[in-house]
Amino acid sequence: MTKTQPDPAPAGGEGPDGSGGPDGTGAVSRARRILPVLGSLQAYIGLILIVAIGVITKGDIFLNQTNLTNAVGAFATRGILAVGVTLVILAAGIDLSVGSLMGFASMSAAIMVAHHDMPVWLIVPACMLIGAGFGLANGIGTAWLKIQSFVMTLAMMSIARGLDRKMSDNESVGTLVAGPDGELTENSESFQKLGTPDNNVLEGILGPDGIYFPVLAFLMVCVVFHLLLSRTTFGRHIYAVGGNPTAARLSGINVTFVIIAVFTLSGMLAGFAGPIDAAYSVSADPQAGYTYELDAIAAAVIGGASLAGGKGTIIGTFVGALILTLLDNVLGLNAVDDNWQLVIKGSIVVLAVVLQRPDLLQSIKNGIDRLRGGRSRTGPGRTPSKARVPGPASAPASEETPR
Amino acid sequence: MSSSTRTLRRALSAATAVLAATALAAGCASKTEEGDGGEKGAGDEFVIGYSQANNAEPYRAQLNKQLEHYVKDHPDLKLLPIADAQQDNAQQVSQIQQFVQQKVDILIVSPNEPAPVTPAVEQACAAGIPVIILDRTVDTECYTSFIGGDNYEIGKKAGEAVARELPDGGNVAELRGLLSTEPQKQRHDGFMEAIAANPDIKVVEEREGKWLQPEGTKIMQQWLARGTDIDLVYAHNDPMAIGAQQAAKAAGKDEIKFIGIDGLAIPDGGIRAVQQERMAYTYLYPTGAEEAAQTAADIAAGEKVEKKQTLGTVEITKDNAEDVYAKYDMSGKVD
């Protein structure tokens, strides 16, 4: 229904790849087309910093493929949640329920495989459907009942956790199920492929050893939703709604639909993460996913998403997720004291966000100017040189810094 | 618009008044009914109120089920629906106060944290209600009986098992519970004391696994990536041990042994993991439910009860796993 509407300019928001013009041919145009997607190198400085620390302190142990697979695999479910949360944040909402929704889906998946002996190809879509159902309720509450998304999803966090606990009777449910012959059942065996350590998929197709499914799933989700945001009308509508809902409505976008859709997609992704979580732990814990929503939101925000809406990318969220998990990995490999780990993690996240801010140099300059300007008022004889006076180009940057 | 709001407000306040009146009447009624609760006849029921710190931990869910089961053995006891504080001190305080208001005959409390819950427990004592403290301590001595496991002793037993498993010494890795919790400290201290007997047993790695299974997996993967030579992993609970075992199995390190604590009799618990040889040992952390029900019955009968009841543990190996499981398996015993 929204497809027929003319595309509005991303009102007030920042499009995922605004440039990428048709000019030029061959390698140059290809580079031009790819570069805006990847953005400037500075956006990755936090990640580069952490990888550098990892390589310097642990070298091959850190860069080892198994280690990197383990590190990304441990965070994959939270990464998938982060992609969903990014969609909601782009539409100027927030989704606090994803951790609980993942927990509910994780428990559902474990019960399906352990008590009902269901095949994995049925479990995954079923869990996605369950998650989408909860997400739809979030969307309806936010868009139709006009409940602030913070409150709506906070309530859903409690509802889903309560149902999870009721359903499981507060007992964890194992996914390793032995048949009458003492061997694992066929469905339990294939369920492990979703993320039990040492189970890979696509052996022979993606290299001789295949690939660890949580890593593959996270990458796939990132690619699909990056394309959704950057290549479809619906993606542009999300940015428009988050940037300025009134302008979006006036330009003919069905804002209600967009909001309901992003919450449903976020719920669906949480539902997708559920079975992976159950397979990773070879069981579903009634508390699974507890506080995962915070990690997911952190990954999105570290990746440059603005909680005010309309600003952010999936690539940014992907980088944010890598920063969080590789930092944890580097600290673990170096056997840093657990108490200090908390302090260091917090500090490096702040540092990474500051360093990768696009207007970093400008705001440093402005800060120096302000200092000099202050001094010039008290101490006569010192006037700021003309070059250091913030010009019109730097005005928006200085506006943004107080955030 | 404004007139309709006024009508609505009036209707609401009327409804509130009716509700309040009903509540008051009900309160008076129950007071008159229980007014002579002091002297009970032989045939009367003794009402037990139980405030649980957090139903969502599998150990506590198991405790609840066992308590419901064992209370049924005493026909004169009646357990009210268990109040779940959901890890919230304020909620637990108000729950205890509600039980005091209801004039329960016996109060059982599993404190979420000692200090915040203490004043409410003292209120119950002051109201003349016998209090049984289950599992975690409070900062007052007014209770009738304390029942709890001995985490230090469990840690020590685990350490002694390590000394048996590694007679010529070896490398041990320790997955610790949430560092700020009391059981974590005691399970660590007891363990360290026991392994000190053999200086060739070295703790080569230790990390905070926060009691969580996925953390156990992740940390074990990091230890193996570091290239640490590990003979045995001691985890402060079963889920962390099982998580770590999963990582070791994936890395092909099948010779590493795992020890956990809890020994829950549920299909996904530590006893089953020992039976399946995923863990070498687990140590039963007793729930105290059976003892609590017995103590409540003794109080009801007017008998003297012990002020402090420290519960022992059971070392669970492949040999006794089936028996221990059968004893504590609550499936089918409570509805």
Side-chain angles (χ1 to χ4, degrees):
Chain A
M1 41 180 172
T2 51
K3 293 266 163 64
T4 53
Q5 305 291 350
D7 292 349
E14 183 188 276
D17 56 347
S19 45
D23 51 308
T25 46
V28 181
S29 82
R30 211 173 301 130
R32 273 206 193 140
R33 239 178 289 135
I34 292 167
L35 275 178
V37 173
L38 292 175
S40 72
L41 195 64
Q42 205 197 339
Y44 303 92
I45 198 151
L47 182 60
I48 293 167
L49 185 78
I50 288 159
V51 170
I53 298 173
V55 172
I56 291 166
T57 54
K58 282 288 150 190
D60 288 346
I61 291 177
F62 172 74
L63 279 181
N64 183 304
Q65 196 195 335
T66 310
N67 180 54
L68 293 178
T69 300
N70 289 342
V72 178
F75 202 81
T77 52
R78 276 170 280 184
I80 292 169
L81 299 184
V83 170
V85 167
T86 304
L87 299 181
V88 176
I89 289 177
L90 282 176
I94 191 81
D95 193 344
L96 299 175
S97 68
V98 288
S100 288
L101 295 192
M102 190 203 82
F104 186 87
S106 170
M107 185 57 75
S108 306
I111 288 176
M112 284 183 218
V113 72
H115 297 170
H116 302 289
D117 196 28
M118 279 165 64
V120 65
W121 58 263
L122 198 57
I123 292 176
V124 173
C127 287
M128 288 168 77
L129 213 58
I130 290 170
F134 280 104
L136 181 67
N138 278 333
I140 288 173
T142 308
W144 282 351
L145 304 179
K146 305 284 179 211
I147 304 168
Q148 283 189 22
S149 60
F150 186 99
V151 176
M152 183 63 217
T153 59
L154 185 69
M156 190 56 80
M157 173 166 114
S158 169
I159 293 168
R161 181 66 65 195
L163 291 173
D164 180 1
R165 289 169 45 168
K166 189 70 208 164
M167 180 168 70
S168 64
D169 213 3
N170 283 314
E171 274 180 13
S172 54
V173 175
T175 61
L176 298 178
V177 194
D181 54 352
E183 296 290 308
L184 283 187
T185 63
E186 201 182 315
N187 286 331
S188 169
E189 185 84 46
S190 53
F191 189 82
Q192 291 193 59
K193 292 275 179 196
L194 288 179
T196 307
D198 199 32
N199 280 272
N200 283 356
V201 291
L202 301 178
E203 291 98 335
I205 301 167
L206 272 173
D209 298 331
I211 184 166
Y212 186 45
F213 183 72
V215 174
L216 175 69
F218 179 37
L219 291 175
M220 273 178 356
V221 164
C222 284
V223 169
V224 167
F225 282 86
H226 170 72
L227 292 177
L228 179 86
L229 280 181
S230 60
R231 297 289 151 89
T232 68
T233 317
F234 174 65
R236 281 191 291 278
H237 286 181
I238 296 177
Y239 282 98
V241 167
N244 186 337
T246 314
R249 191 173 291 118
L250 290 177
S251 60
I253 295 175
N254 188 340
V255 175
T256 308
F257 169 77
V258 170
I259 291 177
I260 291 180
V262 291
F263 278 106
T264 307
L265 287 173
S266 177
M268 185 196 77
L269 286 175
F272 179 52
I276 299 174
D277 175 75
Y280 182 80
S281 297
V282 285
S283 70
D285 189 278
Q287 291 290 76
Y290 184 63
T291 70
Y292 274 22
E293 60 278 351
L294 297 182
D295 285 325
I297 294 168
V301 173
I302 291 168
S306 161
L307 290 177
K311 196 176 154 224
T313 59
I314 297 298
I315 293 179
T317 299
F318 177 70
V319 170
L322 285 187
I323 287 178
L324 285 176
T325 189
L326 292 182
L327 177 58
D328 180 86
N329 184 257
V330 168
L331 295 175
L333 291 184
N334 283 296
V336 175
D337 175 86
D338 288 296
N339 303 316
W340 282 119
Q341 280 205 21
L342 297 174
V343 177
I344 295 169
K345 275 180 197 166
S347 312
I348 293 207
V349 164
V350 171
L351 187 71
V353 170
V354 171
L355 284 180
Q356 64 200 30
R357 191 179 281 170
D359 55 5
L360 173 70
L361 295 176
Q362 190 60 52
S363 40
I364 292 174
K365 220 194 237 176
N366 288 350
I368 294 171
D369 285 346
R370 230 170 283 141
L371 278 179
R372 290 199 174 169
R375 249 184 240 152
S376 72
R377 248 173 266 134
T378 48
R382 270 201 180 191
T383 45
S385 69
K386 259 186 189 164
R388 302 216 186 265
V389 175
S394 61
S398 58
E399 252 169 46
E400 238 175 321
T401 36
R403 267 198 246 152
Chain B
M1 172 71 192
S2 70
S3 85
S4 74
T5 2
R6 215 174 300 143
T7 329
L8 184 70
R9 204 176 296 156
R10 215 172 289 155
L12 267 177
S13 61
T16 323
V18 170
L19 268 177
T22 325
L24 264 176
C28 293
S30 71
K31 227 171 242 171
T32 42
E33 264 167 41
E34 294 179 20
D36 55 348
E39 316 103 57
K40 289 229 166 195
D44 285 339
E45 268 187 341
F46 274 74
V47 177
I48 304 174
Y50 177 35
S51 172
Q52 170 64 280
N54 180 22
N55 282 358
E57 291 166 40
Y59 161 78
R60 294 181 181 281
Q62 188 74 0
L63 195 171
N64 290 351
K65 277 187 195 158
Q66 291 185 3
L67 189 67
E68 284 166 2
H69 170 69
Y70 287 116
V71 162
K72 276 196 274 179
D73 292 349
H74 307 278
D76 53 335
L77 298 181
K78 180 177 178 281
L79 182 65
L80 293 178
I82 293 171
D84 176 14
Q86 300 176 13
Q87 275 186 304
D88 182 345
N89 294 325
Q91 196 164 339
Q92 185 154 41
V93 167
S94 86
Q95 279 168 359
I96 295 171
Q97 287 170 340
Q98 280 169 25
F99 281 135
V100 173
Q101 288 299 309
Q102 290 176 37
K103 298 191 186 300
V104 294
D105 300 303
I106 295 167
L107 175 68
I108 308 179
V109 181
S110 288
N112 186 48
E113 277 178 53
V117 175
T118 299
V121 169
E122 281 172 338
Q123 280 177 337
C125 296
I129 299 171
V131 180
I132 300 172
I133 303 290
L134 198 52
D135 178 40
R136 291 183 192 164
T137 56
V138 284
D139 298 340
T140 171
E141 290 284 315
C142 78
Y143 54 78
T144 308
S145 186
F146 168 84
I147 302 167
D150 188 343
N151 283 305
Y152 189 87
E153 183 64 25
I154 290 174
K156 214 169 131 185
K157 283 245 166 82
E160 286 161 8
V162 171
R164 277 202 307 277
E165 288 286 327
L166 306 172
D168 306 321
N171 293 341
V172 175
E174 187 182 15
L175 272 167
R176 301 174 70 165
L178 207 61
L179 290 185
S180 54
T181 53
E182 203 53 36
Q184 183 281 129
K185 286 172 198 160
Q186 290 168 359
R187 288 175 189 185
H188 171 76
D189 291 346
F191 182 77
M192 295 310 276
E193 193 207 291
I195 60 166
N198 184 348
D200 289 331
I201 294 175
K202 292 190 183 71
V203 176
V204 288
E205 294 280 10
E206 60 165 319
R207 278 285 295 280
E208 177 187 24
K210 301 175 191 160
W211 309 115
L212 300 171
Q213 184 157 328
E215 287 287 313
T217 304
K218 187 190 79 187
I219 292 170
M220 187 73 196
Q221 286 174 340
Q222 292 177 359
W223 284 341
L224 294 174
R226 277 161 58 75
T228 311
D229 189 15
I230 297 172
D231 298 309
L232 188 148
V233 175
Y234 165 56
H236 288 187
N237 73 354
D238 290 337
M240 290 193 292
I242 293 170
Q245 187 268 343
Q246 201 65 42
K249 191 179 142 214
K253 302 270 183 189
D254 292 329
E255 68 283 0
I256 300 176
K257 292 194 171 77
F258 294 84
I259 295 181
I261 296 172
D262 274 353
L264 286 186
I266 57 174
D268 193 41
I271 301 179
R272 284 286 185 245
V274 168
Q275 274 181 312
Q276 295 155 357
E277 298 184 343
R278 291 153 79 190
M279 296 199 300
Y281 298 88
T282 183
Y283 292 85
L284 183 78
Y285 184 70
T287 61
E290 189 175 3
E291 292 77 4
Q294 185 58 50
T295 306
D298 290 348
I299 293 172
E303 286 168 27
K304 230 179 122 48
V305 295
E306 271 197 62
K307 179 103 182 170
K308 269 208 160 68
Q309 306 181 45
T310 305
L311 307 174
T313 181
V314 178
E315 183 174 86
I316 299 167
T317 61
K318 208 163 182 296
D319 299 331
N320 65 350
E322 191 58 57
D323 294 341
V324 181
Y325 193 95
K327 177 169 184 209
Y328 291 103
D329 182 15
M330 286 296 132
S331 58
K333 292 186 192 167
V334 283
D335 31 61

